[in-house]
């Protein structure tokens, strides 16, 4: 009888200590960010699948990994100059994850380091390069009608040719890659993880970042 009372008293004290410890833990943790014991494999896989698709130029698959599956509007440009620069950009695109998924207020996130052609640097010199090429061809032409139209302006086809040659020169001489950090935000909807296409991600995809 005494033994049972002893154990009842011990368990009662332990129960009270556990309750106090629980309350203290809740109080001390009320302002801390949630933590995750391990990275959800499905979220990591979805982020990797999207980035792999982007680097392969597969925008349809990349869009299927994004919440709402938006139309990325990416495709082969119509004009030769844009097509040349776009192909160089997509060929240069690569990435590396810089950590595992971590908890955010809206779901999860994963950081990546993305390297791609610095499109702005390449296109900045195009007008001056094209202008110089047109000048050289005008000076070398024996028949000025091959250079100028009836309005004494450069022929459209000659301008297009000069711009394309200027783009080739710029890619040969000015092409550099730039590396930027991107945060992929992921949310859980409809029993699946989705990447949310924010402005930073869309700019990176379009080559504007």
């Amino acid at each position: 009888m005494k033994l049972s009372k002893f154990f009842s008293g011990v368990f009662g004290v332990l129960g009270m200590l556990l309750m106090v410890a629980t309350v203290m833990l809740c109080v001390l943790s009320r302002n801390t960010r949630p933590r995750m014991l391990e990275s959800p494999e499905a979220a990591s896989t979805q982020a990797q699948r999207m980035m792999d698709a982007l680097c392969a130029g597969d925008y349809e698959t990349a869009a299927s990994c994004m919440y709402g599956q938006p139309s990325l509007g990416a495709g082969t440009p119509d004009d030769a100059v844009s097509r040349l620069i776009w192909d160089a950009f997509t060929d240069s695109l690569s990435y590396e994850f810089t950590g595992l998924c971590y908890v955010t207020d809206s779901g999860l996130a994963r950081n990546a380091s993305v390297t791609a052609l610095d499109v702005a640097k390449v296109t900045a010199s195009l007008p001056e390069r094209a202008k110089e090429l047109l000048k050289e061809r005008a000076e070398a032409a024996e028949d000025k009608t091959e250079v100028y139209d009836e309005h004494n302006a450069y022929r459209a086809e000659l301008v297009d040719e000069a711009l394309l040659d200027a783009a080739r020169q710029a890619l040969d001489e000015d092409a550099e890659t730039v590396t930027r950090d991107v945060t992929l935000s992921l949310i859980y909807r409809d029993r699946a993880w989705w990447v949310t296409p924010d402005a930073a991600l869309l700019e990176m995809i379009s080559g504007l970042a």
Side-chain angles (χ1 to χ4, degrees):
M1 188 70 174
K2 290 182 178 180
L3 190 61
S4 62
K5 287 183 178 180
F6 171 76
F7 281 115
S8 296
V10 170
F11 289 137
V13 172
L14 290 176
M16 185 173 294
L17 290 174
L18 180 60
M19 182 179 66
V20 172
T22 302
V23 172
M24 289 298 296
L25 180 61
C26 291
V27 171
L28 293 174
S29 302
R30 68 184 186 280
N31 294 322
T32 60
R33 295 178 62 85
R35 291 186 300 173
M36 185 171 47
L37 295 179
E38 60 182 80
S39 174
E41 185 176 347
S44 297
T45 299
Q46 189 74 316
Q48 181 174 347
R49 180 168 176 259
M50 188 203 71
M51 292 303 299
D52 286 344
L54 287 177
C55 291
D58 185 357
Y59 290 90
E60 183 177 352
T61 297
S64 72
C65 299
M66 299 180 183
Y67 186 63
Q69 301 185 4
S71 174
L72 297 180
T76 304
D78 293 333
D79 65 282
V81 174
S82 297
R83 187 163 56 248
L84 180 67
I85 296 175
W86 179 253
D87 287 344
F89 169 75
T90 54
D91 287 344
S92 70
L93 197 59
S94 64
Y95 79 97
E96 180 180 358
F97 285 123
T98 55
L100 299 176
C101 288
Y102 57 90
V103 176
T104 65
D105 293 336
S106 59
L108 298 176
R110 194 171 189 189
N111 296 329
S113 179
V114 180
T115 300
L117 175 71
D118 190 345
V119 175
K121 183 178 177 64
V122 170
T123 57
S125 64
L126 290 187
E128 193 60 35
R129 287 179 181 275
K131 181 179 178 181
E132 187 63 28
L133 288 172
L134 286 170
K135 181 180 177 182
E136 291 175 1
R137 291 170 189 181
E139 291 175 351
E142 296 181 1
D143 185 357
K144 299 302 179 182
T145 60
E146 296 177 355
V147 179
Y148 301 102
D149 60 17
E150 63 274 17
H151 304 293
N152 202 35
Y154 288 119
R155 291 189 173 278
E157 62 271 19
L158 192 64
V159 172
D160 292 339
E161 183 182 322
L163 281 171
L164 185 57
D165 288 342
R168 292 192 180 106
Q169 285 183 4
L171 287 172
D172 287 339
E173 300 173 13
D174 297 337
E176 294 181 1
T177 58
V178 61
T179 300
R180 294 183 174 89
D181 294 329
V182 176
T183 298
L184 304 180
S185 299
L186 298 107
I187 58 174
Y188 189 77
R189 296 288 188 277
D190 303 324
R191 299 183 178 182
W193 284 101
W194 305 90
V195 178
T196 56
D198 58 12
L201 178 60
L202 294 176
E203 286 180 0
M204 183 272 291
I205 294 171
S206 65
L208 297 176

